[in-house]
mmCIF file with all atom_site columns, all heavy atoms in Angstrom:
data_model
loop_
_atom_site.group_PDB
_atom_site.id
_atom_site.type_symbol
_atom_site.label_atom_id
_atom_site.label_alt_id
_atom_site.label_comp_id
_atom_site.label_asym_id
_atom_site.label_entity_id
_atom_site.label_seq_id
_atom_site.pdbx_PDB_ins_code
_atom_site.Cartn_x
_atom_site.Cartn_y
_atom_site.Cartn_z
_atom_site.occupancy
_atom_site.B_iso_or_equiv
_atom_site.pdbx_formal_charge
_atom_site.auth_seq_id
_atom_site.auth_comp_id
_atom_site.auth_asym_id
_atom_site.auth_atom_id
_atom_site.pdbx_PDB_model_num
ATOM 1   N N   . LEU P 1 273 ? 0.588   23.331 -1.394  1.00 0.00 ? 284 LEU P N   1
ATOM 2   C CA  . LEU P 1 273 ? -0.644  22.687 -0.964  1.00 0.00 ? 284 LEU P CA  1
ATOM 3   C C   . LEU P 1 273 ? -1.971  23.171 -1.467  1.00 0.00 ? 284 LEU P C   1
ATOM 4   O O   . LEU P 1 273 ? -2.785  22.497 -1.894  1.00 0.00 ? 284 LEU P O   1
ATOM 5   C CB  . LEU P 1 273 ? -0.735  22.686 0.604   1.00 0.00 ? 284 LEU P CB  1
ATOM 6   C CG  . LEU P 1 273 ? 0.109   21.633 1.378   1.00 0.00 ? 284 LEU P CG  1
ATOM 7   C CD1 . LEU P 1 273 ? -0.043  21.813 2.912   1.00 0.00 ? 284 LEU P CD1 1
ATOM 8   C CD2 . LEU P 1 273 ? -0.335  20.207 0.941   1.00 0.00 ? 284 LEU P CD2 1
ATOM 9   N N   . VAL P 1 274 ? -2.091  24.524 -1.488  1.00 0.00 ? 285 VAL P N   1
ATOM 10  C CA  . VAL P 1 274 ? -3.384  25.100 -1.822  1.00 0.00 ? 285 VAL P CA  1
ATOM 11  C C   . VAL P 1 274 ? -3.746  24.860 -3.374  1.00 0.00 ? 285 VAL P C   1
ATOM 12  O O   . VAL P 1 274 ? -4.866  24.244 -3.582  1.00 0.00 ? 285 VAL P O   1
ATOM 13  C CB  . VAL P 1 274 ? -3.350  26.730 -1.663  1.00 0.00 ? 285 VAL P CB  1
ATOM 14  C CG1 . VAL P 1 274 ? -4.665  27.304 -2.243  1.00 0.00 ? 285 VAL P CG1 1
ATOM 15  C CG2 . VAL P 1 274 ? -3.238  26.999 -0.189  1.00 0.00 ? 285 VAL P CG2 1
ATOM 16  N N   . PRO P 1 275 ? -2.851  25.120 -4.289  1.00 0.00 ? 286 PRO P N   1
ATOM 17  C CA  . PRO P 1 275 ? -3.248  24.738 -5.687  1.00 0.00 ? 286 PRO P CA  1
ATOM 18  C C   . PRO P 1 275 ? -3.442  23.186 -5.892  1.00 0.00 ? 286 PRO P C   1
ATOM 19  O O   . PRO P 1 275 ? -4.261  22.705 -6.646  1.00 0.00 ? 286 PRO P O   1
ATOM 20  C CB  . PRO P 1 275 ? -2.231  25.337 -6.483  1.00 0.00 ? 286 PRO P CB  1
ATOM 21  C CG  . PRO P 1 275 ? -0.967  25.513 -5.683  1.00 0.00 ? 286 PRO P CG  1
ATOM 22  C CD  . PRO P 1 275 ? -1.581  25.789 -4.183  1.00 0.00 ? 286 PRO P CD  1
ATOM 23  N N   . GLY P 1 276 ? -2.542  22.493 -5.077  1.00 0.00 ? 287 GLY P N   1
ATOM 24  C CA  . GLY P 1 276 ? -2.645  21.008 -5.150  1.00 0.00 ? 287 GLY P CA  1
ATOM 25  C C   . GLY P 1 276 ? -4.020  20.546 -4.799  1.00 0.00 ? 287 GLY P C   1
ATOM 26  O O   . GLY P 1 276 ? -4.552  19.748 -5.407  1.00 0.00 ? 287 GLY P O   1
ATOM 27  N N   . VAL P 1 277 ? -4.429  20.929 -3.571  1.00 0.00 ? 288 VAL P N   1
ATOM 28  C CA  . VAL P 1 277 ? -5.838  20.467 -3.130  1.00 0.00 ? 288 VAL P CA  1
ATOM 29  C C   . VAL P 1 277 ? -6.879  20.987 -4.100  1.00 0.00 ? 288 VAL P C   1
ATOM 30  O O   . VAL P 1 277 ? -7.775  20.178 -4.386  1.00 0.00 ? 288 VAL P O   1
ATOM 31  C CB  . VAL P 1 277 ? -5.934  21.138 -1.747  1.00 0.00 ? 288 VAL P CB  1
ATOM 32  C CG1 . VAL P 1 277 ? -7.496  20.818 -1.319  1.00 0.00 ? 288 VAL P CG1 1
ATOM 33  C CG2 . VAL P 1 277 ? -5.136  20.418 -0.760  1.00 0.00 ? 288 VAL P CG2 1
ATOM 34  N N   . VAL P 1 278 ? -6.833  22.148 -4.601  1.00 0.00 ? 289 VAL P N   1
ATOM 35  C CA  . VAL P 1 278 ? -7.862  22.776 -5.507  1.00 0.00 ? 289 VAL P CA  1
ATOM 36  C C   . VAL P 1 278 ? -7.932  21.832 -6.645  1.00 0.00 ? 289 VAL P C   1
ATOM 37  O O   . VAL P 1 278 ? -8.923  21.437 -7.195  1.00 0.00 ? 289 VAL P O   1
ATOM 38  C CB  . VAL P 1 278 ? -7.588  24.180 -5.826  1.00 0.00 ? 289 VAL P CB  1
ATOM 39  C CG1 . VAL P 1 278 ? -8.569  24.600 -6.973  1.00 0.00 ? 289 VAL P CG1 1
ATOM 40  C CG2 . VAL P 1 278 ? -7.837  24.994 -4.669  1.00 0.00 ? 289 VAL P CG2 1
ATOM 41  N N   . GLY P 1 279 ? -6.728  21.524 -7.318  1.00 0.00 ? 290 GLY P N   1
ATOM 42  C CA  . GLY P 1 279 ? -6.654  20.767 -8.579  1.00 0.00 ? 290 GLY P CA  1
ATOM 43  C C   . GLY P 1 279 ? -7.124  19.337 -8.300  1.00 0.00 ? 290 GLY P C   1
ATOM 44  O O   . GLY P 1 279 ? -7.840  18.677 -9.056  1.00 0.00 ? 290 GLY P O   1
ATOM 45  N N   . TRP P 1 280 ? -6.733  18.677 -7.165  1.00 0.00 ? 291 TRP P N   1
ATOM 46  C CA  . TRP P 1 280 ? -7.050  17.274 -6.972  1.00 0.00 ? 291 TRP P CA  1
ATOM 47  C C   . TRP P 1 280 ? -8.511  17.036 -6.587  1.00 0.00 ? 291 TRP P C   1
ATOM 48  O O   . TRP P 1 280 ? -9.032  16.019 -6.775  1.00 0.00 ? 291 TRP P O   1
ATOM 49  C CB  . TRP P 1 280 ? -6.190  16.781 -5.735  1.00 0.00 ? 291 TRP P CB  1
ATOM 50  C CG  . TRP P 1 280 ? -6.308  15.283 -5.619  1.00 0.00 ? 291 TRP P CG  1
ATOM 51  C CD1 . TRP P 1 280 ? -5.947  14.245 -6.431  1.00 0.00 ? 291 TRP P CD1 1
ATOM 52  C CD2 . TRP P 1 280 ? -6.954  14.657 -4.532  1.00 0.00 ? 291 TRP P CD2 1
ATOM 53  N NE1 . TRP P 1 280 ? -6.193  13.029 -5.884  1.00 0.00 ? 291 TRP P NE1 1
ATOM 54  C CE2 . TRP P 1 280 ? -6.845  13.235 -4.741  1.00 0.00 ? 291 TRP P CE2 1
ATOM 55  C CE3 . TRP P 1 280 ? -7.544  15.139 -3.220  1.00 0.00 ? 291 TRP P CE3 1
ATOM 56  C CZ2 . TRP P 1 280 ? -7.335  12.327 -3.742  1.00 0.00 ? 291 TRP P CZ2 1
ATOM 57  C CZ3 . TRP P 1 280 ? -8.024  14.154 -2.337  1.00 0.00 ? 291 TRP P CZ3 1
ATOM 58  C CH2 . TRP P 1 280 ? -7.986  12.826 -2.663  1.00 0.00 ? 291 TRP P CH2 1
ATOM 59  N N   . ASP P 1 281 ? -9.172  18.151 -5.991  1.00 0.00 ? 292 ASP P N   1
ATOM 60  C CA  . ASP P 1 281 ? -10.552 18.076 -5.549  1.00 0.00 ? 292 ASP P CA  1
ATOM 61  C C   . ASP P 1 281 ? -11.486 17.925 -6.753  1.00 0.00 ? 292 ASP P C   1
ATOM 62  O O   . ASP P 1 281 ? -12.601 17.623 -6.559  1.00 0.00 ? 292 ASP P O   1
ATOM 63  C CB  . ASP P 1 281 ? -10.901 19.414 -4.765  1.00 0.00 ? 292 ASP P CB  1
ATOM 64  C CG  . ASP P 1 281 ? -12.351 19.360 -4.207  1.00 0.00 ? 292 ASP P CG  1
ATOM 65  O OD1 . ASP P 1 281 ? -12.476 18.331 -3.334  1.00 0.00 ? 292 ASP P OD1 1
ATOM 66  O OD2 . ASP P 1 281 ? -13.106 20.067 -4.387  1.00 0.00 ? 292 ASP P OD2 1
ATOM 67  N N   . ILE P 1 282 ? -10.945 18.174 -7.978  1.00 0.00 ? 293 ILE P N   1
ATOM 68  C CA  . ILE P 1 282 ? -11.786 17.990 -9.150  1.00 0.00 ? 293 ILE P CA  1
ATOM 69  C C   . ILE P 1 282 ? -12.155 16.544 -9.248  1.00 0.00 ? 293 ILE P C   1
ATOM 70  O O   . ILE P 1 282 ? -13.209 16.037 -9.780  1.00 0.00 ? 293 ILE P O   1
ATOM 71  C CB  . ILE P 1 282 ? -11.062 18.447 -10.385 1.00 0.00 ? 293 ILE P CB  1
ATOM 72  C CG1 . ILE P 1 282 ? -10.892 20.001 -10.307 1.00 0.00 ? 293 ILE P CG1 1
ATOM 73  C CG2 . ILE P 1 282 ? -11.831 18.049 -11.642 1.00 0.00 ? 293 ILE P CG2 1
ATOM 74  C CD1 . ILE P 1 282 ? -10.074 20.485 -11.385 1.00 0.00 ? 293 ILE P CD1 1
ATOM 75  N N   . TYR P 1 283 ? -11.196 15.644 -8.767  1.00 0.00 ? 294 TYR P N   1
ATOM 76  C CA  . TYR P 1 283 ? -11.403 14.260 -8.981  1.00 0.00 ? 294 TYR P CA  1
ATOM 77  C C   . TYR P 1 283 ? -12.179 13.550 -7.680  1.00 0.00 ? 294 TYR P C   1
ATOM 78  O O   . TYR P 1 283 ? -11.890 13.947 -6.536  1.00 0.00 ? 294 TYR P O   1
ATOM 79  C CB  . TYR P 1 283 ? -10.110 13.423 -9.083  1.00 0.00 ? 294 TYR P CB  1
ATOM 80  C CG  . TYR P 1 283 ? -9.448  13.844 -10.357 1.00 0.00 ? 294 TYR P CG  1
ATOM 81  C CD1 . TYR P 1 283 ? -8.635  15.050 -10.378 1.00 0.00 ? 294 TYR P CD1 1
ATOM 82  C CD2 . TYR P 1 283 ? -9.611  12.985 -11.493 1.00 0.00 ? 294 TYR P CD2 1
ATOM 83  C CE1 . TYR P 1 283 ? -8.111  15.416 -11.654 1.00 0.00 ? 294 TYR P CE1 1
ATOM 84  C CE2 . TYR P 1 283 ? -9.038  13.377 -12.690 1.00 0.00 ? 294 TYR P CE2 1
ATOM 85  C CZ  . TYR P 1 283 ? -8.304  14.599 -12.676 1.00 0.00 ? 294 TYR P CZ  1
ATOM 86  O OH  . TYR P 1 283 ? -7.592  14.929 -13.895 1.00 0.00 ? 294 TYR P OH  1
ATOM 87  N N   . ALA P 1 284 ? -13.151 12.696 -7.864  1.00 0.00 ? 295 ALA P N   1
ATOM 88  C CA  . ALA P 1 284 ? -13.920 12.084 -6.798  1.00 0.00 ? 295 ALA P CA  1
ATOM 89  C C   . ALA P 1 284 ? -13.117 11.068 -6.166  1.00 0.00 ? 295 ALA P C   1
ATOM 90  O O   . ALA P 1 284 ? -12.672 10.099 -6.808  1.00 0.00 ? 295 ALA P O   1
ATOM 91  C CB  . ALA P 1 284 ? -15.229 11.646 -7.387  1.00 0.00 ? 295 ALA P CB  1
ATOM 92  N N   . ALA P 1 285 ? -12.887 11.169 -4.898  1.00 0.00 ? 296 ALA P N   1
ATOM 93  C CA  . ALA P 1 285 ? -12.136 10.244 -4.151  1.00 0.00 ? 296 ALA P CA  1
ATOM 94  C C   . ALA P 1 285 ? -13.019 9.127  -3.749  1.00 0.00 ? 296 ALA P C   1
ATOM 95  O O   . ALA P 1 285 ? -14.165 9.175  -3.480  1.00 0.00 ? 296 ALA P O   1
ATOM 96  C CB  . ALA P 1 285 ? -11.465 10.890 -2.940  1.00 0.00 ? 296 ALA P CB  1
ATOM 97  N N   . PHE P 1 286 ? -12.405 7.966  -3.683  1.00 0.00 ? 297 PHE P N   1
ATOM 98  C CA  . PHE P 1 286 ? -12.995 6.726  -3.110  1.00 0.00 ? 297 PHE P CA  1
ATOM 99  C C   . PHE P 1 286 ? -12.765 6.749  -1.576  1.00 0.00 ? 297 PHE P C   1
ATOM 100 O O   . PHE P 1 286 ? -11.793 6.338  -1.125  1.00 0.00 ? 297 PHE P O   1
ATOM 101 C CB  . PHE P 1 286 ? -12.546 5.483  -3.815  1.00 0.00 ? 297 PHE P CB  1
ATOM 102 C CG  . PHE P 1 286 ? -12.789 5.365  -5.304  1.00 0.00 ? 297 PHE P CG  1
ATOM 103 C CD1 . PHE P 1 286 ? -11.924 4.542  -5.999  1.00 0.00 ? 297 PHE P CD1 1
ATOM 104 C CD2 . PHE P 1 286 ? -13.731 6.096  -5.926  1.00 0.00 ? 297 PHE P CD2 1
ATOM 105 C CE1 . PHE P 1 286 ? -12.137 4.401  -7.387  1.00 0.00 ? 297 PHE P CE1 1
ATOM 106 C CE2 . PHE P 1 286 ? -13.916 6.005  -7.241  1.00 0.00 ? 297 PHE P CE2 1
ATOM 107 C CZ  . PHE P 1 286 ? -13.166 5.117  -8.011  1.00 0.00 ? 297 PHE P CZ  1
ATOM 108 N N   . PHE P 1 287 ? -13.810 7.269  -0.894  1.00 0.00 ? 298 PHE P N   1
ATOM 109 C CA  . PHE P 1 287 ? -13.646 7.578  0.456   1.00 0.00 ? 298 PHE P CA  1
ATOM 110 C C   . PHE P 1 287 ? -13.276 6.446  1.338   1.00 0.00 ? 298 PHE P C   1
ATOM 111 O O   . PHE P 1 287 ? -12.222 6.635  2.194   1.00 0.00 ? 298 PHE P O   1
ATOM 112 C CB  . PHE P 1 287 ? -14.925 8.189  1.074   1.00 0.00 ? 298 PHE P CB  1
ATOM 113 C CG  . PHE P 1 287 ? -14.847 8.764  2.518   1.00 0.00 ? 298 PHE P CG  1
ATOM 114 C CD1 . PHE P 1 287 ? -14.226 9.896  2.610   1.00 0.00 ? 298 PHE P CD1 1
ATOM 115 C CD2 . PHE P 1 287 ? -15.285 7.979  3.575   1.00 0.00 ? 298 PHE P CD2 1
ATOM 116 C CE1 . PHE P 1 287 ? -14.164 10.467 3.911   1.00 0.00 ? 298 PHE P CE1 1
ATOM 117 C CE2 . PHE P 1 287 ? -15.254 8.443  4.780   1.00 0.00 ? 298 PHE P CE2 1
ATOM 118 C CZ  . PHE P 1 287 ? -14.528 9.719  4.989   1.00 0.00 ? 298 PHE P CZ  1
ATOM 119 N N   . ARG P 1 288 ? -13.817 5.284  1.270   1.00 0.00 ? 299 ARG P N   1
ATOM 120 C CA  . ARG P 1 288 ? -13.522 4.060  2.043   1.00 0.00 ? 299 ARG P CA  1
ATOM 121 C C   . ARG P 1 288 ? -12.088 3.687  1.910   1.00 0.00 ? 299 ARG P C   1
ATOM 122 O O   . ARG P 1 288 ? -11.377 3.330  2.801   1.00 0.00 ? 299 ARG P O   1
ATOM 123 C CB  . ARG P 1 288 ? -14.463 2.937  1.869   1.00 0.00 ? 299 ARG P CB  1
ATOM 124 C CG  . ARG P 1 288 ? -15.801 3.280  2.212   1.00 0.00 ? 299 ARG P CG  1
ATOM 125 C CD  . ARG P 1 288 ? -16.758 2.109  2.126   1.00 0.00 ? 299 ARG P CD  1
ATOM 126 N NE  . ARG P 1 288 ? -16.692 1.511  0.737   1.00 0.00 ? 299 ARG P NE  1
ATOM 127 C CZ  . ARG P 1 288 ? -17.381 1.975  -0.240  1.00 0.00 ? 299 ARG P CZ  1
ATOM 128 N NH1 . ARG P 1 288 ? -18.112 3.065  -0.171  1.00 0.00 ? 299 ARG P NH1 1
ATOM 129 N NH2 . ARG P 1 288 ? -17.312 1.374  -1.453  1.00 0.00 ? 299 ARG P NH2 1
ATOM 130 N N   . SER P 1 289 ? -11.648 3.737  0.662   1.00 0.00 ? 300 SER P N   1
ATOM 131 C CA  . SER P 1 289 ? -10.234 3.300  0.372   1.00 0.00 ? 300 SER P CA  1
ATOM 132 C C   . SER P 1 289 ? -9.244  4.341  1.055   1.00 0.00 ? 300 SER P C   1
ATOM 133 O O   . SER P 1 289 ? -8.204  3.873  1.672   1.00 0.00 ? 300 SER P O   1
ATOM 134 C CB  . SER P 1 289 ? -9.935  3.231  -1.079  1.00 0.00 ? 300 SER P CB  1
ATOM 135 O OG  . SER P 1 289 ? -8.602  3.089  -1.458  1.00 0.00 ? 300 SER P OG  1
#
Side-chain angles (χ1 to χ4, degrees):
L284 275 182
V285 172
V288 170
V289 171
W291 187 70
D292 189 56
I293 295 174
Y294 294 83
F297 297 161
F298 186 79
R299 294 183 307 280
S300 174

